[in-house]
Amino acid sequence: MRIKPAGRYVSRLASGIFLAIMLTACATHSPAIYESEVLAGEGRLDEAMVRLESALKEKPNNAELRLAMAQTRERIISRQLLQIQDQLKQDQSKRQQQDIQRPIVTEKPAPAGLDKPINVDFKGATLAQVCQVLYRTAGLNFIFDKDVPLDQPITITLRRTPVREVLSLILLSQQLEQRTVNAETVMIYPNTPSKARDYQPLTVRSFYLTNIEAKTAATTLRTILKARDLVADEKQNVVVMRDTPEAIRMAEKLLAVHDMPEPEVMLEVEILEVKRSRLQELGLLWPSSLMLTPLSSTAGGPVTLKDLINATSASLAAAVPTFGINARAESGDANVLANPRIRTRNREIAKIMIGDRVPNITTTSTSTGFVAESVQYMDIGLKLEVQPTIYLDNEVAIRINLEVSNIAGIVQSKSGTQAYQIGTRNASTVLRLKDGENQVLAGLISDEERSSGNKIPGLGDLSVLGRLFGSRRDEGQKTELVLSITPRLVRNTKRPSIEQTEFSIGPESAMRPSAPDMSYFTEAVPVPTPPAAPGGIR
């Protein structure tokens, strides 16, 4: 905290207080106030305060003494503020002088003992000699298992290699393993399953997964890392792993890449069914038949064969169909539009059904005469099934199955049961589109033409005058189905970097997150310098 200079303000305040006290002292006859002013004038404010407190104890209701004490207390506080301000100024001045005199030196920290690069050249040296050299060079302490062979010869040549990797390579060549006890102590033991159980520390870690299933994650860890103990909790989607700390770190890297959200896509689908129909009927409707009906006999009984033989124009009734003119023309267009939007995940099937469920009754009878009826429902209308496959380049492959069905007619069986005749049109294809690219599928056309006529034989076949002796009916119906689809990516998978997807785990016998390069081994590499002692380091 910095206190602003307040010299003038404090000085004026002290002068005002002192003047007020002098005026008050001159107007009063209290000896304690006079004595305190004398002491204050000499700079003895603490003694003046003590004198006023003593007098106030004798006269606790004296207002002049209380006022004098308050004024003296303010003078003491002002003096303390001035002292603090002076002290701060002195300290700041000292620090500035020290900063000027002291040069700032930044040095790059020296590498730690295990990370210090060294050159080694061992030829036939024993493990005990090599560890003795590393102890003197890097300050490492070594503890050996009772089954570690200390007299086995070691030959290795390395240049500018950290002490950590030098030790790992030496132990790897001798089928040994290490355990770090602390920053300066290493335990060395044979690399066998029994010794690993005795020395390797184990860690328990629970991986809470978001996207990948716990069962799949457990299979991956068990296959790739040869994990010892794995438990997959499918209810909470958690994988519990017990293994070495190195294996736990490798499991973290694997799950960080695989536990990623699945891609999603929004499919904008538009289905249009266009129907066009026309009807034209033109001509004269001539009678197509003449019906003669015998009249009743004169006796009033039924007509006999004799009456038919003796029939005359008066005893026969004639029935002639109606004569008319046909002149009709009809046309129509019907558009059925469906515009659904489907959001689905990668490789998941999405279905759309727009239509009705029509009941189809089936009758079953047995030899005993029992009759049973069952109802089965059929989906009639528009059925669309899509399955997208999303790629990393923001392209989507879509497998489409489209079916449009309608009731073409009703069939009645001998028993009186009705069944439906279903007309269907199907389309199945696979498209690969970019994000936002539109594709239209058309050409599913049903074209039906019908022509019929009613005419007088012979006369109705004339080229021009035939219309006067007959009627003709022309009917046509054309239906086309159009499908338009557009994918819109909602979320896609980001391609991980090489550092995330590839990392070294060391040999299978002793997996580690990072392993030294095996090319460092040199069993019999010629060197330009003469052979050194059994063990050497430069």
Side-chain angles (χ1 to χ4, degrees):
M1 181 180 67
R2 181 179 179 183
I3 300 178
K4 297 181 179 180
R8 295 182 180 179
Y9 173 76
V10 176
S11 177
R12 292 177 181 177
L13 180 62
S15 300
I17 296 174
F18 180 76
L19 180 59
I21 294 175
M22 291 298 295
L23 293 175
T24 304
C26 294
T28 184
H29 300 287
S30 175
I33 295 177
Y34 176 75
E35 293 177 1
S36 65
E37 288 300 327
V38 174
L39 294 173
E42 297 176 356
R44 300 155 62 185
L45 295 175
D46 295 335
E47 297 180 7
M49 191 66 180
V50 173
R51 180 68 183 87
L52 292 174
E53 291 176 352
S54 177
L56 188 60
K57 290 180 180 180
E58 298 176 359
K59 298 179 180 181
N61 297 326
N62 192 328
E64 295 179 355
L65 289 175
R66 290 181 178 277
L67 178 60
M69 282 187 61
Q71 294 171 344
T72 306
R73 187 179 294 109
E74 291 180 359
R75 294 179 65 182
I76 294 175
I77 294 174
S78 299
R79 184 185 64 181
Q80 292 177 350
L81 290 174
L82 290 174
Q83 292 176 355
I84 293 173
Q85 181 181 357
D86 294 339
Q87 185 64 35
L88 290 175
K89 288 182 178 181
Q90 294 177 4
D91 295 342
Q92 184 178 4
S93 178
K94 290 181 180 180
R95 285 196 299 268
Q96 292 177 352
Q97 293 179 359
Q98 291 176 359
D99 293 340
I100 295 175
Q101 296 175 359
R102 183 180 57 213
I104 300 176
V105 180
T106 57
E107 296 180 358
K108 185 177 180 180
L114 291 176
D115 297 328
K116 179 181 179 181
I118 59 175
N119 299 334
V120 296
D121 184 11
F122 294 107
K123 292 182 175 58
T126 62
L127 179 61
Q129 293 174 340
V130 172
C131 292
Q132 183 68 23
V133 173
L134 295 179
Y135 165 75
R136 296 176 181 176
T137 304
L140 287 179
N141 301 319
F142 294 93
I143 302 176
F144 299 96
D145 183 81
K146 62 178 182 179
D147 297 330
V148 174
L150 299 178
D151 55 351
Q152 188 170 352
I154 298 174
T155 301
I156 185 173
T157 301
L158 300 173
R159 292 177 57 82
R160 295 186 299 274
T161 306
V163 176
R164 189 189 311 275
E165 295 187 9
V166 171
L167 180 60
S168 298
L169 289 168
I170 293 174
L171 297 181
L172 185 62
S173 64
Q174 301 299 314
Q175 297 182 352
L176 301 174
E177 190 53 76
Q178 61 177 328
R179 174 189 173 183
T180 302
V181 180
N182 52 46
E184 299 178 352
T185 306
V186 177
M187 167 73 73
I188 298 178
Y189 57 90
N191 187 10
T192 59
S194 60
K195 294 296 182 179
R197 287 192 297 267
D198 295 337
Y199 289 107
Q200 284 186 349
L202 299 180
T203 302
V204 177
R205 174 71 182 276
S206 298
F207 296 97
Y208 286 83
L209 306 174
T210 304
N211 303 287
I212 189 175
E213 294 183 358
K215 185 177 180 180
T216 304
T219 304
T220 301
L221 297 179
R222 188 177 292 110
T223 304
I224 302 300
L225 301 181
K226 304 297 187 293
R228 298 184 177 180
D229 300 314
L230 283 174
V231 176
D233 188 350
E234 298 183 5
K235 184 177 181 180
Q236 298 185 1
N237 205 31
V238 176
V239 173
V240 183
M241 178 178 178
R242 186 183 71 170
D243 213 311
T244 61
E246 292 81 6
I248 295 295
R249 291 197 297 271
M250 288 185 288
E252 291 177 354
K253 293 184 178 182
L254 281 176
L255 295 181
V257 175
H258 291 276
D259 189 18
M260 301 180 68
E262 293 189 25
E264 289 190 32
V265 63
M266 176 76 74
L267 299 177
E268 298 179 357
V269 182
E270 185 175 3
I271 303 170
L272 181 64
E273 186 178 14
V274 182
K275 292 184 179 180
R276 298 182 179 91
S277 60
R278 61 179 181 84
L279 174 64
Q280 184 177 2
E281 188 175 2
L282 181 62
L284 298 177
L285 185 60
W286 290 91
S288 59
S289 62
L290 175 62
M291 304 296 295
L292 298 177
T293 304
L295 298 177
S296 300
S297 64
T298 56
V303 178
T304 62
L305 182 60
K306 182 180 179 180
D307 295 333
L308 292 177
I309 296 173
N310 298 324
T312 62
S313 59
S315 62
L316 294 176
V320 181
T322 305
F323 174 82
I325 300 175
N326 287 332
R328 185 176 63 167
E330 296 179 358
S331 64
D333 293 333
N335 297 334
V336 180
L337 178 64
N339 188 16
R341 302 180 67 187
I342 316 168
R343 179 170 176 173
T344 180
R345 295 189 302 177
N346 187 29
R347 303 180 187 277
E348 295 288 339
I349 298 177
K351 297 181 180 180
I352 296 176
M353 170 62 192
I354 302 175
D356 301 321
R357 303 198 71 188
V358 179
N360 189 17
I361 301 176
T362 303
T363 303
T364 304
S365 60
T366 61
S367 59
T368 59
F370 177 76
V371 178
E373 292 184 350
S374 61
V375 180
Q376 295 179 350
Y377 289 91
M378 299 180 298
D379 295 329
I380 304 299
L382 172 66
K383 291 190 290 185
L384 178 64
E385 182 178 300
V386 291
Q387 182 180 12
T389 301
I390 304 173
Y391 298 97
L392 292 177
D393 57 355
N394 292 337
E395 291 191 358
V396 183
I398 309 173
R399 184 179 298 275
I400 302 175
N401 293 320
L402 177 64
E403 178 181 344
V404 179
S405 58
N406 63 318
I407 299 178
I410 299 177
V411 180
Q412 190 170 4
S413 63
K414 295 181 180 179
S415 61
T417 304
Q418 293 183 348
Y420 295 100
Q421 180 181 355
I422 308 299
T424 62
R425 281 173 290 167
N426 301 307
S428 179
T429 184
V430 178
L431 306 175
R432 180 160 179 168
L433 305 175
K434 297 181 180 179
D435 182 20
E437 182 180 359
N438 177 263
Q439 179 64 47
V440 176
L441 300 178
L444 295 177
I445 301 175
S446 174
D447 197 352
E448 183 178 356
E449 296 286 344
R450 293 181 181 180
S451 179
S452 61
N454 186 6
K455 56 187 177 178
I456 297 177
L459 297 177
D461 295 331
L462 298 176
S463 60
V464 178
L465 299 177
R467 292 286 184 176
L468 299 176
F469 301 96
S471 176
R472 183 179 180 85
R473 179 188 177 96
D474 295 327
E475 184 179 0
Q477 184 175 357
K478 183 177 182 181
T479 305
E480 182 178 4
L481 189 64
V482 179
L483 171 64
S484 173
I485 187 168
T486 304
R488 306 283 186 185
L489 282 179
V490 178
R491 178 178 57 249
N492 199 358
T493 303
K494 295 183 179 179
R495 187 188 299 271
S497 61
I498 299 299
E499 291 76 11
Q500 294 175 318
T501 57
E502 180 180 354
F503 55 91
S504 175
I505 61 174
E508 186 175 2
S509 59
M511 291 189 295
R512 295 184 181 87
S514 59
D517 189 357
M518 297 297 296
S519 62
Y520 287 147
F521 282 107
T522 53
E523 293 294 338
V525 177
V527 292
T529 56
I537 185 169
R538 297 186 296 275

